[in-house]
Amino acid sequence: MKFSALSLFLTVTSAAVSQPKPAAKSYKGYKVFRVPVGTDASKVSGIVNKLGLTTWKGAPRAGTFADIVVPPTQVAAFNQEVSGMDVVTMHQDLGASIDEENSFGTYAAGAVNSTWFNSYHAYADHLQFLRDLVAQYPSQSEIVTSGNSVGGRPITGIHFWGSAGKSKKPAVVLHGTVHAREWVSTMTVEYLGYNLLTNYASNTEIKGFVDKYDFYVFPVVNPDGFVYSQTNDRMWRKNRQAAPSGSSCIGRDINRNWPFQWSVSGGASTDPCAQDFKGRAQGDAPETAALSSWLKTIKANQGLKLFIDYHAYSQLFMTPYGYSCTALPTKNTEFQALAKGAVAAIKAVYGTSYQYGPICTTIYKATGSSVDYVNDVVGADYTFTSELRDTGNYGFVLPASQIVPTATETYAGFRYLLQNMK
């Protein structure tokens, strides 16, 4: 299958100058290991707890792998604990991997073209890229915001439309970078919007998509966290909300804070220091409050056809619900058929394999999530979430060389949905 944007990737080379942007927190000498958990998670969990280590994919779960970050001072002790286990090294030196990834391309304002996707970029350049894209297509696009972050940054996206005019068609809404360290989601969501808008005039199929729906593309819905991941700590996940009373730990996981099934136990943490801290009350993160209100307004004003929340990593394409492993949405049969088709379309591009199914049974239980909220409270026609590349070779620190392949295959899955939704 051939995509017009792919040809741009193959023929255009970047003239950008690399500028190293090392994070303030050093991960020099840190290693990341992938450990098979086996049928009993207690052994691996015990190692993590005993050595005070962090994991990249939540608490170790039976039948899966645990991706464990080990500082230099604990490597010897860790190796002793996992002796005899089939351990794989993901990052021999996490700091070196981050330094390589953080060679941001210099963006010249106004230079909107596919070379943008050859590297990661500073947050300010992401905003400029969106402004420049609107400037290139002023009659059918605009900058939109869906509220402000806890730090006062506007949650910024691009809205574009087709021949019917602005806000006349049902909406398709895409979210990226809910979790700050998931940088490939930022680039991928931008690519989806860029591919549709820049090929509208030349591609009949794409023109049909854009004439049928209004698109709202938000590459970074956690701007404070994203900036912090670029300037202070590459592994930062949450927003930058002040620590609650009695704790010194900053931030809420804004994808465990949505006001639907928030109080269900087992799908998020009540510990402010945990990566998946749900907050003290549902919707108490300003980002969540703003996004949920904005989505309800869009639904009321023009209808909400499709909502997708893009994350990384694990190569998954998932449907509601996260809060329960037994409850299923009314349209589950249709959701599964669409998800199956989407992962087949993704695989057809480069052979990349994704798994699909409900969030809870496919990855883990997650309460207070955007997808569950948008499905049941907002009432979107279709709701999905996706974990992008990869499955554990690089994890969150995905090389820039994989941005375009990731985005291109993701477009194939997205395209399948646009072709097959009722």
Side-chain angles (χ1 to χ4, degrees):
M1 189 174 295
K2 183 178 180 181
F3 298 96
S4 57
L6 177 59
S7 62
L8 291 174
F9 161 63
L10 295 173
T11 59
V12 180
T13 58
S14 175
V17 177
S18 293
Q19 295 181 330
K21 302 280 186 178
K25 178 173 180 177
S26 174
Y27 285 93
K28 183 179 180 180
Y30 279 64
K31 300 181 186 298
V32 184
F33 298 101
R34 168 156 280 201
V35 181
V37 177
T39 58
D40 182 2
S42 62
K43 180 176 180 179
V44 176
S45 294
I47 295 170
V48 170
N49 293 334
K50 177 181 178 181
L51 300 181
L53 305 176
T54 59
T55 62
W56 272 2
K57 296 172 66 179
R61 302 180 307 283
T64 65
F65 293 90
D67 297 344
I68 303 173
V69 182
V70 183
T73 56
Q74 295 282 40
V75 170
F78 177 82
N79 286 336
Q80 184 175 359
E81 293 287 344
V82 299
S83 177
M85 301 175 70
D86 188 16
V87 176
V88 174
T89 302
M90 293 170 59
H91 291 277
Q92 185 66 31
D93 184 341
L94 181 58
S97 298
I98 290 172
D99 287 345
E100 181 178 354
E101 178 201 45
N102 281 3
S103 294
F104 294 166
T106 298
Y107 177 66
V112 176
N113 58 59
S114 64
T115 63
W116 170 260
F117 300 100
N118 291 349
S119 73
Y120 296 102
H121 299 275
Y123 179 62
D125 286 346
H126 284 284
L127 296 179
Q128 188 62 48
F129 179 80
L130 294 181
R131 289 192 292 264
D132 290 344
L133 199 53
V134 168
Q136 198 168 93
Y137 302 93
S139 65
Q140 69 171 128
S141 66
E142 65 181 357
I143 294 295
V144 291
T145 61
S146 55
N148 292 328
S149 69
V150 66
R153 290 184 173 92
I155 301 171
T156 304
I158 184 172
H159 169 210
F160 54 93
W161 54 88
S163 57
K166 182 170 68 173
S167 304
K168 296 294 198 306
K169 297 292 184 176
V172 172
V173 177
L174 308 179
H175 281 181
T177 331
V178 175
H179 296 137
R181 61 193 177 187
E182 298 169 6
W183 288 6
V184 74
S185 73
T186 319
M187 302 301 298
T188 298
V189 169
E190 284 175 341
Y191 180 96
L192 299 181
Y194 172 87
N195 193 40
L196 292 174
L197 189 53
T198 60
N199 288 294
Y200 175 81
S202 60
N203 185 299
T204 302
E205 180 183 78
I206 285 177
K207 184 178 188 303
F209 294 154
V210 180
D211 285 346
K212 189 174 183 179
Y213 303 114
D214 272 42
F215 289 83
Y216 295 87
V217 177
F218 291 92
V220 182
V221 299
N222 178 10
D224 298 344
F226 184 58
V227 169
Y228 193 80
S229 77
Q230 294 193 324
T231 59
N232 292 71
D233 184 352
R234 176 62 185 87
M235 292 296 107
W236 188 260
R237 169 184 166 101
K238 299 184 285 185
N239 74 355
R240 294 295 299 165
Q241 198 160 347
S245 177
S247 175
S248 61
C249 293
I250 290 173
R252 279 132 169 89
D253 182 342
I254 62 174
N255 202 37
R256 300 294 185 275
N257 188 248
W258 291 71
F260 177 73
Q261 302 293 354
W262 176 86
S263 61
V264 174
S265 63
S269 179
T270 58
D271 178 2
C273 297
Q275 295 279 17
D276 61 344
F277 175 50
K278 65 195 292 183
R280 290 300 196 208
Q282 62 180 15
D284 70 349
E287 295 86 353
T288 307
L291 292 166
S292 59
S293 176
W294 183 87
L295 284 162
K296 286 193 288 187
T297 299
I298 289 294
K299 167 67 175 179
N301 290 346
Q302 64 189 102
L304 180 53
K305 190 67 176 181
L306 173 64
F307 172 80
I308 309 179
D309 191 359
Y310 284 100
H311 292 258
Y313 60 100
S314 285
Q315 293 174 200
L316 305 171
F317 198 87
M318 295 177 289
T319 62
Y321 292 113
Y323 80 89
S324 171
C325 290
T326 56
L328 295 171
T330 303
K331 297 170 66 172
N332 183 63
T333 300
E334 187 180 0
F335 283 2
Q336 298 313 315
L338 286 170
K340 181 180 180 180
V343 302
I346 290 168
K347 188 171 185 178
V349 182
Y350 301 117
T352 308
S353 294
Y354 274 57
Q355 303 300 313
Y356 72 93
I359 296 167
C360 189
T361 54
T362 304
I363 186 168
Y364 43 59
K365 188 173 185 178
T367 53
S369 73
S370 63
V371 170
D372 289 1
Y373 177 89
V374 173
N375 189 76
D376 277 38
V377 179
V378 178
D381 292 347
Y382 299 95
T383 58
F384 299 95
T385 184
S386 183
E387 297 278 351
L388 303 172
R389 289 192 187 189
D390 56 7
T391 56
N393 291 328
Y394 298 100
F396 297 119
V397 189
L398 193 71
S401 61
Q402 292 201 33
I403 293 170
V404 171
T406 301
T408 303
E409 68 195 11
T410 301
Y411 178 75
F414 182 49
R415 173 180 180 260
Y416 180 87
L417 297 180
L418 296 177
Q419 288 175 319
N420 291 280
M421 293 185 302
K422 296 179 181 177

